[in-house]
Amino acid sequence: MSKRENSKYKIDRRLRVNLWGRPKSPINKREYGPGQHGQARQKPTDYRLQLMAKQRLKGYYGSVSERQLRRYYTEAVRRKGDTGENLVELLERRLDAVVYRMKFAITVFASRQLVSHGHVKVNGRRVNIASYLVKDNDVIELTSKAKEMARVLEATQTAERDVPEYVSVDHKDMKGTYVRGPKLADVPYPVQMEPSLVVEYYSR
């Protein structure tokens, strides 16, 4: 098992949730944290609840850096509307998240790798920056080489999750369109996300 895969499952154990809803997650067998104190009861203070909400959101999108997440929060505050909803929309506009939503990759980590290795095009131009923010009606397409990759073909056929309505995709041509930015209720999170607590965390 790769180092990245190990880290991914550590996130599940540490946060005590099956963050991506995967059947391989160790939390399915052991619903407690890692280490000798993993089964100890922890007092859910307001700060801890806010911190865990932030860590869940960070972890779900492939462990985005603290600096990146704070930058998204700052942009979410600047925009009109609910800050928590804006934060989720910004995260869902990341290119690696869009590739994951279109089921071109089995995990968000694999989608990030697909992007960083130059296998994804936006509006016909190759983009290798995972944090690139996709705009409404942008067309996302895999390169000819990526379209034939076994792991990509496997991802498109998985029944673990569905393609949400705010993206449209044609798995035959390996091409899709980012239709619109989603609301929190539109995003198919396997676990409850609480962006309002993340906003409270950063606004302390």
Side-chain angles (χ1 to χ4, degrees):
M1 186 179 289
S2 69
K3 182 179 179 182
R4 182 178 292 274
E5 191 121 312
N6 271 320
S7 298
K8 176 179 64 179
Y9 289 134
K10 281 182 180 178
I11 294 172
D12 274 4
R13 292 290 308 282
R14 188 168 66 248
L15 298 178
R16 304 186 183 198
V17 291
N18 186 348
L19 199 54
W20 299 279
R22 300 219 65 204
K24 293 181 180 180
S25 174
I27 205 71
N28 294 335
K29 296 180 180 179
R30 299 186 294 276
E31 294 185 0
Y32 50 85
Q36 62 178 345
H37 302 297
Q39 298 186 62
R41 302 184 75 176
Q42 297 175 337
K43 186 178 179 181
T45 62
D46 287 345
Y47 173 78
R48 178 172 175 78
L49 291 174
Q50 293 165 3
L51 177 63
M52 293 297 280
K54 178 179 74 76
Q55 296 298 77
R56 281 199 300 273
L57 205 61
K58 275 181 64 175
Y60 182 83
Y61 289 96
S63 297
V64 297
S65 70
E66 183 65 29
R67 185 177 180 180
Q68 279 184 319
L69 190 61
R70 185 173 287 276
R71 192 170 71 241
Y72 291 137
Y73 164 74
T74 302
E75 175 61 20
V77 170
R78 191 188 67 79
R79 296 187 175 195
K80 292 181 179 179
D82 183 85
T83 302
E85 293 274 1
N86 292 343
L87 179 60
V88 167
E89 181 183 334
L90 285 167
L91 288 165
E92 283 292 311
R93 285 185 182 276
R94 285 176 57 97
L95 183 55
D96 57 353
V98 175
V99 169
Y100 176 64
R101 290 289 176 230
M102 290 182 172
K103 291 176 67 174
F104 291 148
I106 198 74
T107 67
V108 70
F109 297 97
S111 69
R112 181 175 298 175
Q113 189 176 53
L114 207 59
V115 174
S116 63
H117 287 188
H119 295 304
V120 178
K121 294 189 287 186
V122 179
N123 299 327
R125 296 181 61 182
R126 196 181 298 247
V127 178
N128 61 2
I129 301 170
S131 60
Y132 175 90
L133 294 183
V134 175
K135 300 180 180 66
D136 290 358
N137 300 314
D138 275 357
V139 176
I140 316 301
E141 182 180 11
L142 298 187
T143 61
S144 299
K145 182 179 179 181
K147 289 177 182 180
E148 298 175 359
M149 289 180 177
R151 58 179 181 164
V152 171
L153 295 172
E154 178 188 353
T156 61
Q157 296 167 11
T158 182
E160 283 184 20
R161 54 195 172 85
D162 298 320
V163 176
E165 62 178 19
Y166 51 91
V167 299
S168 65
V169 62
D170 182 347
H171 285 145
K172 183 178 179 180
D173 291 335
M174 295 295 183
K175 178 188 288 188
T177 303
Y178 190 85
V179 179
R180 61 174 175 82
K183 297 294 184 183
L184 175 61
D186 299 328
V187 183
Y189 292 123
V191 297
Q192 184 180 7
M193 291 294 181
E194 299 171 294
S196 59
L197 292 181
V198 181
V199 172
E200 289 177 14
Y201 176 89
Y202 282 123
S203 60
R204 284 179 298 115

